[in-house]
Amino acid sequence: MEYRKLGKTDLELSAITYGAFAIGGNMWGGNEKKDSIESVRASIDHGVTTLDTAPFYGFGLSEEMIGEAIKGYDRSTIQLLTKFGLVWDGSNQGKGEFFFDAEEDGKTIPVYKYASKASVIKEVEDSLRRLQTDYIDLLQIHWPDNTTAIAETMEALDLLLQQGKIRAAGVSNYSVEQVSEAQNSIQIASNQVGYSMLNRGIEQDLIPYALQHDLGIIVYSPMERGLLTGKYFNEGKLKENDHRNGYFQQFDLKKVKTFLDTIGPVAADKGISLSQLVLRWTSLQPAITVVLAGARNAEQAIANAEATAIDLTGDELSFIDTALSKI
């Protein structure tokens, strides 16, 4: 496993980081708790020291399972990353910015972007309880809240830093302009954003900014929610309540399949999976600090962890980039 320094902090994160969105269950067609916890532990046992979660994932369930999964491990060797700013329980009392309606157990649950100082403080206490820890290594705002001044949100993070409840402050889904504004208040360690072979928009602005200002970049959806594994084209239908049924329709699926068929021999020659090849390519892109990879069971978790051991030559990277240019 490779370990990388996050921005200007003293945090060392595993280049492949466990992404805990799917184990929360909501939006992913559900998952077995036993498999989820085993996937976390298998990740840790194979060098993945960094776990990324959020209160919204399963409405607290993902954080609770992470807290349970890390029992028995030395807490100081694990980096817990979580978020705030998506609320659903009415604690915002009608404030904030409506985001979308989530579905849970047949019920519609309105989700709001809300990051007032008081709300942030409350969310952190809830996360600490669910994670069964007394500090969070990196706390990130989940999505920008256009109803709360960035300076107010950053004031909450500064207080939490002073109290020792968080080790570093980050943002997620922020534009370069929003990151720059947040930096006027406190040191921002990182920005967590979507990035993949099929979604390279941040290369135009965020990556140059990160390189210039030593900002960490944590990327999610490197596999485009499983599309780049190739399984979608081979294994057929997803569960009816799986959000990916709609998500995948934004891509030219015929071109994506052609691309995966083109780079497949590179993976085959190395005796690795397409997933591992895609993860390794992503981790080698400029300014990318860590790559989030989800896993539903121990087998997937181990495969993800082993991706950083893959050696890609300059010719192989060029071959992949040429194939990508045709999508």
Side-chain angles (χ1 to χ4, degrees):
M1 178 58 64
E2 294 177 7
Y3 301 93
R4 300 174 178 175
K5 183 174 178 291
L6 185 68
K8 297 178 180 178
T9 74
D10 61 357
L11 291 176
E12 293 277 343
L13 309 185
S14 51
I16 298 298
T17 286
Y18 186 94
F21 188 4
I23 69 170
N26 60 326
M27 299 173 63
W28 290 87
N31 198 43
E32 292 294 330
K33 179 179 179 180
K34 178 176 179 291
D35 289 342
S36 295
I37 290 177
E38 286 180 353
S39 72
V40 176
R41 292 175 176 165
S43 295
I44 298 172
D45 293 341
H46 286 79
V48 174
T49 61
T50 312
L51 313 173
D52 180 89
T53 183
F56 169 69
Y57 302 161
F59 300 109
L61 179 60
S62 177
E63 286 187 328
E64 289 175 355
M65 285 198 288
I66 292 293
E68 183 173 342
I70 64 174
K71 288 180 179 178
Y73 291 94
D74 181 349
R75 173 68 178 87
S76 68
T77 66
I78 295 171
Q79 302 84 49
L80 294 180
L81 283 49
T82 194
K83 308 177 187 76
F84 66 89
L86 291 187
V87 299
W88 66 88
D89 59 2
S91 61
N92 60 326
Q93 298 179 332
K95 299 176 183 177
E97 177 184 1
F98 176 74
F99 194 15
F100 68 99
D101 283 325
E103 298 293 329
E104 180 78 355
D105 297 329
K107 298 179 181 178
T108 298
I109 303 175
V111 177
Y112 289 81
K113 301 174 185 176
Y114 188 53
S116 72
K117 182 178 179 180
S119 184
V120 175
I121 300 301
K122 177 187 181 301
E123 281 205 70
V124 168
E125 293 302 324
D126 290 342
S127 289
L128 290 171
R129 172 179 49 79
R130 287 190 290 256
L131 291 166
Q132 301 182 56
T133 187
D134 57 2
Y135 71 95
I136 292 162
D137 294 275
L138 177 69
L139 182 67
Q140 310 151 94
I141 183 170
H142 207 147
W143 285 89
D145 166 23
N146 293 318
T147 68
T148 302
I150 288 177
E152 178 182 340
T153 302
M154 296 305 120
E155 184 180 346
L157 293 177
D158 189 39
L159 176 61
L160 291 164
L161 284 165
Q162 293 177 37
Q163 293 174 338
K165 292 183 178 180
I166 65 174
R167 292 180 63 193
V171 297
S172 186
N173 299 301
Y174 261 37
S175 67
V176 168
E177 292 73 23
Q178 289 167 326
V179 173
S180 182
E181 183 177 346
Q183 294 276 33
N184 291 330
S185 298
I186 62 172
Q187 177 181 295
I188 296 298
S190 58
N191 190 7
Q192 183 175 143
V193 291
Y195 178 73
S196 74
M197 289 175 160
L198 305 179
N199 173 23
R200 302 175 69 179
I202 64 170
E203 293 177 0
Q204 303 304 311
D205 54 2
L206 181 59
I207 284 182
Y209 178 92
L211 290 170
Q212 181 179 357
H213 297 276
D214 196 11
L215 177 76
I217 295 182
I218 299 171
V219 298
Y220 64 81
S221 293
M223 304 303 303
E224 285 300 350
R225 310 190 187 188
L227 182 61
L228 290 173
T229 66
K231 294 178 182 178
Y232 175 79
F233 300 103
N234 301 321
E235 297 180 2
K237 195 174 181 180
L238 297 166
K239 291 183 179 180
E240 186 176 341
N241 64 337
D242 196 311
H243 75 288
R244 292 173 292 179
N245 286 304
Y247 182 84
F248 288 165
Q249 300 312 306
Q250 67 182 291
F251 304 109
D252 186 327
L253 296 177
K254 183 177 180 180
K255 287 186 176 180
V256 173
K257 185 178 187 305
T258 298
F259 166 70
L260 294 177
D261 289 342
T262 301
I263 68 169
V266 177
D269 288 347
K270 292 180 174 295
I272 61 175
S273 67
L274 265 176
S275 300
Q276 291 173 311
L277 179 63
V278 172
L279 286 176
R280 187 52 171 158
W281 177 92
T282 308
S283 74
L284 292 173
Q285 299 311 296
I288 304 303
T289 310
V290 299
V291 180
L292 301 186
R296 287 175 172 266
N297 54 53
E299 181 181 4
Q300 290 178 1
I302 294 169
N304 290 343
E306 293 174 343
T308 57
I310 298 166
D311 180 35
L312 291 179
T313 67
D315 287 344
E316 288 167 338
L317 289 169
S318 295
F319 177 79
I320 293 171
D321 288 342
T322 298
L324 272 175
S325 68
K326 298 177 182 178
I327 295 181

